[in-house]
Every structure is written in C-alpha cells, then in structure tokens.
Amino acid sequence: MKTSIKYLLVITTVIAMAFLLKSCKTKNAAQAISGDAAQEVYVAPGKYDEFYNFVSGGFNGQMGVYGLPSGRLLRIIPVFTQSAESGYGFNENTSPMLNTSHGFVPWDDLHHTELSQTNGEIDGRWVFGNGNNTPRIARINLATFRTDEIIEIPNSAGNHSSPFITENTEYVIAGTRFSIPMGKERDVPINTYKKNFHGTVSFISVDQTNGRMKIAFQLLLPGVNFDLSHAGKGPSHGWFFFSCYNTEQANTLLEVNASQKDKDFIMAVNWKKAEEYLKAGKGRVEKVQYAHNVYSDETHMATSTIENEVTVLDPTGLEGIVYFIPCPKSPHGCDVDPTGEYIVGSGKLAAVIPVFSFTKMMDAIAKKDFIGNYDSIPVLKYESVLYGEVKKPGLGPLHTEFDGKGNAYTSFFVSSEIVKWNIKDLTVLDRAPTYYSIGHLCIPGGDSRKPNPKYVIAYNKITKDRYLPTGPELAQSAQLYDISGDKMRLILDFPTVGEPHYAQAVAADVISKNSVKFFKIEENKNPFVAKGEKEARVERKGNRIDVYATAIRSHFVPDNIEGVRLGDEVYFHVTNLEQDWDVPHGFAIKGANTAEILIMPGETQTLKFVPDQVGIVPFYCTDFCSALHQEMQGYMRVSPAGSTLPISFSTGQQAPPLNP
C-alpha cells in the first residue's frame, strides 16, 4: 500500500511538472532564435571551425566529431561497434579490438567522452569513451582519430560513471551502475541484493608517454548504483567524487523503490590514500578475466590479450579512502568547478541544487563529523559539508558545466531548459529553453580548470518538430547557445548521429596541429607489408594464400592472380604506397563476407576472402582516388579443388601465358 501511494505521488509530480513545462514553453520555438544567428555560426568555404566537439554516439557505440560553431559532421570514430565505412571490426587488422572475455562483441553503448588533461587543462592527446553494456574503456588517439586501445573492466556491470579522469590523466576511472555478486558465489537469489551485491570503481592508470592503460586497483563498495563522477582539481586534486542512487538497495521497480529516501549520496574517494594502501600491500589480488586490446600505428594491427588478475582494496577495512556525503534525491550529475572547491550534486527529483565545499568536507573529516555509517563507510553530516543550495532552480536538474567566470550552467530535463547561476551567491542569473528535454550539456573545457566561455551545447533527448520527419524516429538533436554575454542566446540546431550523451569540446588548434597526414612507408612494420611494387607477390602455404599487394593511383600490383582453388583461404594484404594527405585506397572483392577495407597512405590492411565458386572474381578500389579510379581494378581466377594450376600473378602483361 505504501509503495502504491509513493508511486501515485511520483506520477502526480511528473504530471504537474509536465503541465508547468507546457505553460512556460515558448509558443513558437523559432522565435527564440535571433535574426543574426546565421551569421554567427556561418563558416565560409575553405575556413575551419573554431572548435572540435566530441559527442558520444550512445547506442550506436561510436563517437561523432563535429565542428563548432557550424555543427558540421567531420568524422564518426568507430569505437565499440563495427564500421562498414572503414572496415573497423570487420577486417583482420582491427577485429581483435572488439574481443572481450565474452568473446567477440561488435556492438556496445558509448555514453561519455572525456578529453585528456595536463594540469587540469585539455591537452589534445587522447579522448576516452566508455562501453556501458559490456564494461570497457577506450582510448582514442587524437593524432589519427582512431581507437588505439580498449580495456575491459572486470567485476563490473553497467559501466556508467566513466570514463572521467584526474587532472593530469594519471587515471581514467570506471564505476559500476549495476551492483552484482562478486567473487566465487555468484549464483545467488536476486532478492539477496543487500547481502550479496556490490559495486566497484576501477582506477586505470595511463602511461604518460604512450597512453597505455592498466587497471591499477579497484575499490570494493556497497551495493548501490554509481551514476556519474568527476575528479577534484587544484586543492581537491587527489580526490574523486561519484553520484550514487538506490541507497535503498532495491532490486526491482527502481523507479519507485529507489526513490524512497530523501537523500542518497555523493561518494568522495581519496585516491591518493588508496595509492598508499596499495603500495603498502593492502590490496587483495583476485583471479578474473578481461580483455586488453591494443592497436599499433607501426604494424597497423591490433592484438588482444586476456588478463587474469586485478588488485582490490576494501575501504571498509582501510580508513580514510571513502566517505559518503548525503545528497537529495537520486543524484545524477556530479561536477567540480574550475577552482576545485565546489562540488555540485544534481538530484533528478530534487527541488534544489546542493553545492558542497571541499574545504568544509576536509574539516568535517578531520573532526569526524559523521552521522553514522552506511555499510561501514562513514557518512558526513550534510549541513557540515554544504556550501549552500540553489533555490528553485528548475525541474529535474541533471548536469552542470562551468564557464570559468564564476558561473555554472545546469541542464533541466523536466523543465527543458539550461539555467545559469552564480557559484558564489547561488543566485539564478538566466534561463534558456531547450527543444526538448535536455540531457547532457557541454561548454568547451567546461569540466577543466580553464573553460572557454563562448558556447554551451545542449544534447536533447526529444526532437519532435525540429527537423523534417523521417518516420517514427527523428534525427538526434543538439543545440548551440552563445554564452559570451550576460544572457544565453540560441543560435543553431544541428543533428547528431546516435543518441548523444556527454560530449566535450576544445579549441581546434589544440588538436589540429598534431594531426597525422600519412604514415611513413619506411616505418611500416606490418609483417605483410610490401614497401614497393617490386615486393608485391603471391605465396601459397598449403591452402593459405597470402597476397602481398600494393595500391597507388591508379592500379593494384598484382591485378591478375591465378592458381587459387576452392577450399583456399586468401588473405589480401594491401599496402597503400601513397605518401600524400587524404589519398586512401579501398579494396573490395566480389563475394567477400568480411566487408571491405580502407587503407590510409603508408599503411597495410588485410582482408580475408574464402572463394565459394569457380570462376573469375573481380576486385577494385572503393575509394574514389583519381581520374582513373574506375580503372583501378583486377581479377582473380578461382579453379576447382584439386586443380594443379600453379600460382601466378602479374600486372600490365597484355598477353599473359595461356593456362589450361
């Protein structure tokens, strides 16, 4: 009965919020755009955008790169999902990137992006992404815009509060959304949640020279849901903050049963203290299995390794690592301002935005100003840590970014708006409607120590009337607001690919100056490379045939191949000999079920082909590369199994010897 009443209250509140939203909404959304907006977002032909915007692709498992202020789509980076455009995850070179302890997983759900930082400022080296479903963290090289590394997270389910970083990218962290049973006893009744379920956060170290990731340690935590997180910075460097909900530890109907308490928690983690315990040997080594996949720009190949151990620290027996801060209600966003002093918790069902003080938190810890324990973790007194509350900010606060001028911008899902407020006096300064139901938002550098206060971008959950109809599903929606003045001004709608969650943006010159134009052919260490046409050849070893091919405008070497038989496995290793920017070649052969490959200048890619019919099989370049692109083609002859026709190959022989 109690549950039913609670459920009715929730429904009533949502209806009331929706009514209020409708009554407050601008009647003609187009009126919200000022007349000179087009001029502000126009990027003339031949000119570059001012910012890169890295946008999560949500359920498409990829990451979109857009230029701002134009909103032009520059690239889709395949991360956790196969890509037919580049062959990522299809071809022999990159398929190992999608290996996991569950086998080959070619599709995931990428929610958040995080750019690497040095001294709290975006440094342009890497962008990280999280695999939400099969827990993984990916590192993308911003010199090549390719996924260089993916590491699976053991002891995890629902990798949502990820992949946020410390201010020198010492660590990228991964936190569990779903708590699950861990250790040897995993076959337990679901209703034993409170007894048997736990969550974890993983601290993954990042090698500063090459970016290589390694799980340094995990924290074993109570069975709640960790939602989002951000690192401390400046004075709070050494700490990490996580929002958590479902402190009720419900295992069913969470929309009601995980909303019973007035306050859940912000979890404060002293990772410097955890490092001390780790160094002192206080960790417990557990046997686990997880995949660690790395792509090399030298060999142009990926390797996958299954790791078998992880070190776990249990904060319940290690004082000083973890504290809980009460936070109303069902907190989602957990954001730290550029000074590192203020921590903002956004409760989805809360009527205020609490702002916590790092200084007051440290004082409370020193004085042991606790109100008790939660699963043996100390709980700090709300009033002792609270700096203040933003009153009547809006309905459904989710996420906050900062402009570096003392202002915060919070997204409100239910009231569909961005609210600008002052961090010091906690007063609301401005409101701007979004169209519609904004989720995340982004200011360039907005979670760093040095934001660029020019734009805020809204990533919306509902599109409705913003674009031409495309059937039941409409284009995903982002909106650009000018925040250079006192008031926010909507200046552009632009569609995105997949469902955008978190995104980050940075000034273009931080990244563009390091962009790789081509791979030097003399540095190509692929074992199947042909560094010139003289090295092109075809070799048979049993039923395996390796074609060491080259591609250059506008022919393949070889382009005539004979002696292949049914039952053979043919590996086309195609090296692009071009040493020029933006001249890739493609390769496709009729009947191949592993898609096509796209080969950048100077690199080698491999396509496996198993012929299933006797005859002549054509192949060709798929990427328009020159005026004679259409002539860039060849033939392979497939003979019956048992044929004695020897391997032969050529290019440019007008009258090859006749064979039977």
Side-chain angles (χ1 to χ4, degrees):
M1 185 66 179
K2 255 184 167 179
T3 298
S4 299
I5 292 171
K6 191 79 181 179
Y7 185 72
L8 284 173
L9 284 172
V10 171
I11 295 298
T12 303
T13 303
V14 170
I15 291 172
M17 287 176 168
F19 177 78
L20 183 58
L21 167 63
K22 187 177 178 181
S23 64
C24 295
K25 182 62 64 184
T26 304
K27 291 182 179 177
N28 182 356
Q31 293 175 357
I33 304 176
S34 59
D36 59 354
Q39 186 175 351
E40 293 183 56
V41 302
Y42 178 68
V43 178
K47 299 294 183 182
Y48 289 161
D49 277 289
E50 186 178 356
F51 296 93
Y52 285 104
N53 188 200
F54 296 89
V55 182
S56 60
F59 45 70
N60 79 7
Q62 301 171 337
M63 190 180 296
V65 185
Y66 300 82
L68 297 177
S70 72
R72 296 182 297 195
L73 174 62
L74 303 178
R75 176 151 297 281
I76 297 293
I77 303 173
V79 184
F80 298 113
T81 299
Q82 291 174 301
S83 169
E85 182 179 7
S86 65
Y88 177 87
F90 287 105
N91 61 36
E92 301 301 304
N93 301 60
T94 55
S95 292
M97 294 298 289
L98 302 181
N99 189 38
T100 75
S101 62
H102 303 277
F104 184 70
V105 177
W107 192 2
D108 209 309
D109 181 19
L110 194 162
H111 271 221
H112 307 129
T113 66
E114 180 81 348
L115 289 156
S116 59
Q117 297 181 13
T118 301
N119 295 323
E121 297 182 24
I122 295 172
D123 57 29
R125 291 180 294 171
W126 311 298
V127 59
F128 299 89
N130 66 322
N132 197 37
N133 182 28
T134 301
R136 289 174 281 181
I137 298 291
R139 179 177 56 82
I140 293 153
N141 184 342
L142 291 180
T144 60
F145 281 60
R146 283 181 166 180
T147 303
D148 264 5
E149 188 175 11
I150 294 177
I151 191 165
E152 190 179 2
I153 311 300
N155 292 331
S156 178
N159 179 35
H160 194 264
S161 55
S162 316
F164 301 99
I165 59 166
T166 52
E167 70 175 2
N168 290 302
T169 320
E170 297 97 334
Y171 295 104
V172 55
I173 63 90
T176 54
R177 170 184 172 183
F178 299 103
S179 287
I180 53 173
M182 298 179 191
K184 295 180 180 177
E185 294 297 326
R186 302 192 179 204
D187 181 16
V188 300
I190 296 173
N191 62 11
T192 64
Y193 184 108
K194 292 183 179 180
K195 177 184 177 184
N196 291 318
F197 287 43
H198 286 88
T200 62
V201 296
S202 302
F203 281 75
I204 303 158
S205 62
V206 180
D207 188 303
Q208 297 304 300
T209 59
N210 57 21
R212 190 66 64 89
M213 298 186 290
K214 178 183 178 182
I215 299 177
F217 61 90
Q218 291 186 319
L219 299 179
L220 182 67
L221 295 161
V224 298
N225 294 50
F226 299 102
D227 208 354
L228 284 160
S229 64
H230 266 102
K233 49 180 75 82
S236 56
H237 177 61
W239 289 78
F240 226 107
F241 303 93
F242 299 78
S243 59
C244 28
Y245 63 100
N246 191 24
T247 55
E248 297 84 350
Q249 298 186 315
N251 60 276
T252 183
L253 197 59
L254 263 63
E255 67 172 332
V256 173
N257 295 325
S259 305
Q260 302 294 306
K261 294 183 177 179
D262 288 334
K263 291 184 175 67
D264 293 281
F265 296 130
I266 297 294
M267 181 176 72
V269 174
N270 183 345
W271 57 265
K272 288 282 189 182
K273 191 72 175 177
E275 284 183 334
E276 293 176 12
Y277 284 120
L278 185 71
K279 190 176 180 180
K282 300 296 184 182
R284 180 180 69 245
V285 176
E286 288 191 3
K287 295 294 181 185
V288 292
Q289 282 200 329
Y290 60 97
H292 189 184
N293 311 325
V294 179
Y295 186 83
S296 167
D297 284 331
E298 292 184 336
T299 63
H300 307 290
M301 298 177 69
T303 56
S304 178
T305 305
I306 295 296
E307 309 277 1
N308 297 300
E309 289 184 348
V310 67
T311 301
V312 178
L313 295 171
D314 185 352
T316 61
L318 302 172
E319 187 178 354
I321 297 182
V322 179
Y323 300 90
F324 284 130
I325 303 169
C327 183
K329 305 192 38 168
S330 300
H332 188 59
C334 181
D335 303 287
V336 181
D337 89 308
T339 70
E341 169 62 18
Y342 303 105
I343 303 109
V344 180
S346 297
K348 300 186 289 290
L349 302 176
V352 299
I353 301 176
V355 180
F356 301 102
S357 161
F358 178 73
T359 301
K360 295 181 76 171
M361 184 193 84
M362 295 303 290
D363 288 344
I365 291 173
K367 296 174 182 174
K368 297 187 182 299
D369 192 5
F370 306 138
I371 59 172
N373 293 319
Y374 181 88
D375 278 10
S376 303
I377 302 292
V379 180
L380 293 159
K381 188 177 180 182
Y382 178 73
E383 292 77 9
S384 298
V385 183
L386 185 70
Y387 171 73
E389 296 174 337
V390 182
K391 306 290 187 184
K392 299 180 179 178
L395 301 175
L398 291 183
H399 306 281
T400 300
E401 292 265 289
F402 306 92
D403 65 5
K405 298 191 296 186
N407 302 313
Y409 297 73
T410 300
S411 60
F412 286 81
F413 176 80
V414 177
S415 53
S416 282
E417 61 183 336
I418 300 173
V419 174
K420 175 183 176 181
W421 50 277
N422 182 273
I423 300 171
K424 284 288 186 184
D425 62 21
L426 306 177
T427 56
V428 172
L429 303 173
D430 190 26
R431 298 175 182 276
T434 62
Y435 306 92
Y436 304 92
S437 297
I438 179 176
H440 282 273
L441 75 174
C442 158
I443 291 173
D447 77 338
S448 73
R449 295 182 70 179
K450 194 175 182 180
N452 189 322
K454 192 163 186 177
Y455 302 114
V456 62
I457 309 102
Y459 305 95
N460 303 320
K461 298 302 180 188
I462 298 173
T463 304
K464 294 296 185 188
D465 53 6
R466 306 305 289 183
Y467 300 107
L468 286 172
T470 53
E473 185 183 19
L474 301 176
Q476 302 286 335
S477 167
Q479 296 184 296
L480 184 72
Y481 296 75
D482 183 335
I483 59 169
S484 58
D486 291 337
K487 299 295 183 181
M488 293 178 277
R489 293 187 304 115
L490 174 61
I491 55 176
L492 178 70
D493 278 11
F494 64 99
T496 68
V497 178
E499 183 192 6
H501 291 265
Y502 191 41
Q504 293 213 319
V506 62
D509 60 1
V510 176
I511 292 174
S512 61
K513 62 187 177 186
N514 298 321
S515 192
V516 170
K517 291 184 168 58
F518 58 86
F519 299 101
K520 294 179 181 178
I521 192 72
E522 64 270 21
E523 296 177 359
N524 186 327
K525 297 181 180 178
N526 186 287
F528 303 103
V529 64
K531 294 187 177 181
E533 293 183 352
K534 291 182 179 178
E535 297 182 15
R537 61 198 185 278
V538 181
E539 296 178 351
R540 172 185 286 282
K541 294 179 181 176
N543 70 337
R544 175 183 171 119
I545 292 176
D546 290 291
V547 180
Y548 297 76
T550 62
I552 196 167
R553 288 166 287 186
S554 298
H555 61 273
F556 293 105
V557 177
D559 65 3
N560 278 212
I561 302 169
E562 301 192 27
V564 175
R565 302 189 290 256
L566 284 181
D568 287 339
E569 291 183 347
V570 184
Y571 293 83
F572 284 94
H573 314 291
V574 184
T575 299
N576 182 345
L577 297 179
E578 307 281 358
Q579 293 291 269
D580 193 6
W581 193 17
D582 197 24
V583 191
H585 288 292
F587 180 85
I589 184 166
K590 180 186 174 187
N593 60 12
T594 51
E596 305 155 9
I597 52 176
L598 193 64
I599 315 112
M600 295 301 113
E603 74 173 0
T604 304
Q605 296 283 305
T606 296
L607 182 147
K608 179 183 177 182
F609 174 61
V610 181
D612 60 353
Q613 295 178 358
V614 171
I616 303 299
V617 187
F619 55 83
Y620 67 102
C621 176
T622 57
D623 194 313
F624 202 106
C625 56
S626 71
L628 297 178
H629 162 75
Q630 202 72 356
E631 282 74 14
M632 193 166 176
Q633 65 175 51
Y635 293 106
M636 186 176 74
R637 177 181 173 185
V638 179
S639 300
S643 168
T644 59
L645 186 67
I647 288 290
S648 66
F649 55 91
S650 64
T651 294
Q653 293 185 19
Q654 295 297 327
L658 292 176
N659 290 302

